[in-house]
Each structure stands twice: as structure tokens, then as C-alpha cells.
């Protein structure tokens, strides 16, 4: 009697995202992170939700770098909630490691803002996670999606768009 091993399903290849040193990741905003104990599980591996928190921090800092303070958005009644999120975990990150969270605004369509992410080693040789996030502009007072982005936000996002094309 032969014993068969259960077949393991394999994840599909991730194309250009497998090589973090590829031109695919050039000209992205970089946010450095060092893994803290509260971001890990008992085995010292980063908890999956920590990656999402880092991505949000990177996005907020990227916006700040072009003159959009999140507190100012809140003050004018504009919120940017996540409406779609897709994360692919490639390798584990461990307690004490330093990594870079790279982000870029991929596209703005009306009031939808799409962002790409890559979490890589500081030398760019290891890819730990890739993600895509979609935000929408929400009128926080009415609780409804805005018909268009506030002019100041639209102008600032155009700066990011221009940087990504260079």
C-alpha cells in the first residue's frame, strides 16, 4: 500500500513583483520600519495586520510629503476610507528586522484613489509583501461618497501622478 501525500496548491507566479530590485519599484515613496515586539506573534514573526498598518502609515507620510496633512482633510470633512484591499505575503518578517514600505499612487479615477505597495528589505533584495489599496473620498458630515475630490486634494495628487511618470 503506497501512501500518497496530499497535493498542495501552489500560488500563481507574481511576475515582476518577485524581483524587488526591478525598475517596477523605482521612484516610489519609501517609509522605513523596524519591527517592534507588539507587531509580532509569539514566534517573533510579524502579525499579518501589522503590514496593513505600515501601509497606511506610509500612505499618510507620502501624502504629507506633497503637502496633504490628513488632519487637514478631516478638518474640511473629507475622509479617505479603504474600500478595497489585496495583500500578497511573500516572506515572513521577523522581530527586530528593518524593512522599507514602498508606496505609490497608481491611479485616480473620479473619487477613487488606487495605491500600490511593496514591502522590501532595506537593500532591496528581498520582497516580503505586495499590496493594492483603493480609497474613496467620503463627505464625513453626510456619510456619502463625494462627487469629486476637493480641489486642493486633486491638485496635490496631480503632483504625485507627475512624479510617478518620471
Amino acid at each position: 500500500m503506497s501512501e500518497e501525500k496530499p497535493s498542495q496548491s501552489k500560488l500563481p507566479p507574481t511576475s515582476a513583483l518577485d524581483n524587488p530590485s526591478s525598475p517596477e519599484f523605482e521612484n516610489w515613496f519609501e517609509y522605513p520600519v523596524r519591527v517592534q515586539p507588539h507587531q509580532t506573534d509569539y514566534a517573533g514573526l510579524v502579525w499579518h495586520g501589522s503590514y496593513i498598518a505600515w501601509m497606511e502609515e506610509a500612505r499618510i507620510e507620502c501624502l504629507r510629503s506633497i503637502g496633504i496633512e490628513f488632519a487637514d482633510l478631516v478638518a474640511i470633512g473629507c475622509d479617505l476610507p479603504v474600500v478595497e484591499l489585496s495583500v500578497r505575503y511573500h516572506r515572513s518578517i521577523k522581530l527586530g528586522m528593518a524593512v522599507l514600505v514602498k508606496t505609490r499612487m497608481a491611479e485616480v479615477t473620479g473619487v477613487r484613489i488606487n495605491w500600490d505597495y511593496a514591502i522590501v528589505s532595506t537593500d532591496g533584495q528581498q520582497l516580503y509583501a505586495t499590496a493594492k489599496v483603493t480609497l474613496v473620498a467620503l463627505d464625513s458630515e453626510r456619510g456619502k461618497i463625494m462627487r469629486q475630490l476637493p480641489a486642493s486634494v486633486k491638485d496635490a495628487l496631480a503632483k504625485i501622478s507627475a512624479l510617478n511618470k518620471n
Side-chain angles (χ1 to χ4, degrees):
M1 183 186 252
S2 69
E3 203 174 295
E4 288 186 33
K5 292 183 180 178
S7 64
Q8 280 188 305
S9 61
K10 293 186 179 181
L11 292 172
T14 55
S15 68
L17 297 182
D18 280 332
N19 180 6
S21 296
S22 75
E24 178 74 21
F25 295 124
E26 290 177 10
N27 300 321
W28 288 39
F29 180 82
E30 294 184 354
Y31 179 72
V33 171
R34 181 164 305 275
V35 179
Q36 303 298 317
H38 69 276
Q39 297 165 327
T40 65
D41 60 18
Y42 291 109
L45 301 176
V46 173
W47 175 65
H48 68 277
S50 294
Y51 293 75
I52 296 167
W54 295 340
M55 290 186 297
E56 183 167 14
E57 291 168 12
R59 182 174 65 246
I60 298 301
E61 290 304 317
C62 180
L63 290 172
R64 178 177 286 124
S65 76
I66 58 146
I68 299 176
E69 291 287 339
F70 204 83
D72 293 342
L73 289 176
V74 171
I76 65 170
C78 178
D79 195 8
L80 296 174
V82 172
V83 295
E84 192 170 344
L85 168 68
S86 172
V87 181
R88 181 175 182 107
Y89 299 96
H90 300 270
R91 287 182 183 79
S92 296
I93 302 174
K94 297 175 182 164
L95 178 62
M97 289 176 63
V99 296
L100 290 175
V101 181
K102 294 185 168 208
T103 188
R104 70 175 178 186
M105 188 186 66
E107 176 184 36
V108 177
T109 309
V111 294
R112 296 176 69 86
I113 307 166
N114 298 306
W115 291 81
D116 292 329
Y117 298 87
I119 301 178
V120 302
S121 58
T122 55
D123 66 3
Q125 298 303 304
Q126 294 292 318
L127 179 63
Y128 298 107
T130 51
K132 293 185 177 295
V133 171
T134 301
L135 312 171
V136 295
L138 185 74
D139 180 327
S140 55
E141 192 174 298
R142 296 181 351 177
K144 301 218 180 221
I145 293 175
M146 295 179 162
R147 293 192 183 273
Q148 62 183 1
L149 290 170
S152 58
V153 174
K154 192 184 281 187
D155 292 345
L157 292 179
K159 289 181 196 174
I160 292 179
S161 215
L163 292 173
N164 289 344
K165 291 177 183 170
N166 291 339

